[in-house]
Amino acid sequence: MLEMREIAPDIFFLKVPVPLTVGDINVYIFRGDVPTLLDTGTNTPGVFDLIQTALNKLKIKKLEQVILTHWHVDHAGTAHLFAGQGARILMNMKEYFRWKSFMEGETDDLFREWAREEAATSSISLIDDMCKAYGKLRQKMTVLPDHVEEIVPMQILQAGNYFLQSILTPGHTEGHLAFFENRGKRLFSGDMLLPDMISYPDIWREEGKFTSGLVSHLQSLDIMEKLDANAYFPSHGEPQLDPALRCQETRNEIHKQAVQYDSTRSVFENAVRLNHGTENLAGLFMRLHYVYGWKKIFEQNHKSLDG
Ligand SMILES: [Zn+2]
């Protein structure tokens, strides 16, 4: 059964099951002058066929382009297959390079370095196991396309019969893009505004120093709130009205969660305590990311209090 529906004239919502804890991902199909797919699902059996079935049903013979919100496997996993059919793949180049380094195992090195410098853990074998549990599994769910085209922030892209403006919304990843359809005031929010959860913040380097995406996430919420959108179309969960309200809720929720950070302990100790031990490695990996974000928010608050 295809779980597909028209959410606006010639814009279609399609729910795609993926073998990750999140369960499924929403992709959006724009029919019209420039047939477009927004995000793609994982490169796992059935996913590409499901989207293909949907395109056939909509009588879209050739997809002109695939637009990606970010590089994660559930969003970009089958892009190479559409590229093989002649579709252009469009994304923020920051995301492409992160994707490339993920495929080459370099993100593991970055995480190891971060764990040593910022989380204060001496258990390198545990960090290695975590990388294995998290990364290696996911590497099988995605293939890096040979060639992609760049989307820069604030770029206007035609999709179907609509125009989308790319909105740089870092947090979950460094180069995450949301897309705003101005005429209908619709926000395609990717993983940066979700109705039922808050996506985990990535860790990256800025001017040589490690930083948490959670700090950027708060700023991205401000940006999305000011767009004056009527509805948002997330990558997970159902489309919703009132994105500004959800931006406020998410911001409040992040601040509320951040209080759990215990500044007398290391990031690693905080994460282990919240994870009730080190057994659940995927859980610990996530928690390390959140706790680091809470630490950064804590430091920021204290800096502004001192100042
Ligand atoms: Zn993601």
Side-chain angles (χ1 to χ4, degrees), residues 88-105:
R88 300 153 63 208
I89 310 299
L90 286 81
M91 67 191 303
N92 187 341
M93 288 315 277
K94 249 185 194 165
E95 294 294 298
Y96 183 73
F97 292 125
R98 180 74 185 215
W99 189 0
K100 189 165 183 282
S101 63
F102 171 76
M103 298 310 274
E104 290 165 358

Side-chain angles (χ1 to χ4, degrees), residues 69-75 138 172-173 176 191 199-200 236:
T69 57
H70 63 296
W71 70 271
H72 283 170
V73 298
D74 46 339
H75 296 258
R138 282 165 191 248
H172 178 58
T173 61
H176 185 285
D191 277 356
S199 58
Y200 85 90
H236 307 284

Side-chain angles (χ1 to χ4, degrees), residues 54-72:
L55 293 172
N56 291 342
K57 204 168 166 188
L58 298 175
K59 305 219 170 359
I60 295 174
K61 287 206 184 66
K62 191 185 171 295
L63 208 54
E64 189 71 32
Q65 61 188 12
V66 174
I67 297 176
L68 300 174
T69 57
H70 63 296
W71 70 271
H72 283 170

Side-chain angles (χ1 to χ4, degrees), residues 169-188:
T169 42
H172 178 58
T173 61
E174 188 181 359
H176 185 285
L177 294 175
F179 295 91
F180 185 52
E181 191 279 299
N182 188 43
R183 198 160 30 126
K185 298 205 177 297
R186 300 177 180 97
L187 174 64
F188 295 87

Side-chain angles (χ1 to χ4, degrees), residues 113-256:
E113 250 171 76
W114 171 82
R116 216 175 30 237
E117 288 175 27
E118 301 285 303
T121 169
S122 52
S123 180
I124 295 303
S125 65
L126 190 67
I127 295 295
D128 281 344
D129 288 348
M130 219 179 300
C131 289
K132 256 182 238 147
Y134 192 82
K136 292 285 179 295
L137 181 82
R138 282 165 191 248
Q139 272 178 3
K140 295 196 182 81
M141 297 186 191
T142 186
V143 175
L144 189 76
D146 299 329
H147 178 73
V148 300
E149 291 174 41
E150 179 172 22
I151 306 176
V152 294
M154 304 304 276
Q155 187 173 330
I156 308 281
L157 301 150
Q158 191 172 355
N161 300 327
Y162 292 85
F163 290 94
L164 301 179
Q165 183 169 38
S166 64
I167 313 287
L168 182 65
T169 42
H172 178 58
T173 61
E174 188 181 359
H176 185 285
L177 294 175
F179 295 91
F180 185 52
E181 191 279 299
N182 188 43
R183 198 160 30 126
K185 298 205 177 297
R186 300 177 180 97
L187 174 64
F188 295 87
S189 57
D191 277 356
M192 284 302 289
L193 191 66
L194 300 170
D196 313 308
M197 56 181 162
I198 301 171
S199 58
Y200 85 90
D202 199 5
I203 291 164
W204 62 81
R205 263 192 227 271
E206 234 163 60
E207 290 160 9
K209 278 200 204 135
F210 280 109
T211 180
S212 166
L214 203 59
V215 178
S216 315
H217 197 145
L218 291 169
Q219 292 159 0
S220 293
L221 289 167
D222 292 344
I223 291 166
M224 288 187 286
E225 188 181 346
K226 289 197 187 98
L227 286 173
D228 189 30
N230 291 331
Y232 68 106
F233 299 86
S235 292
H236 307 284
E238 288 298 303
Q240 310 280 339
L241 296 172
D242 209 344
L245 177 68
R246 184 59 189 152
C247 286
Q248 292 158 20
E249 281 174 8
T250 304
R251 200 166 30 230
N252 291 342
E253 190 64 27
I254 289 173
H255 283 299
K256 217 167 86 189

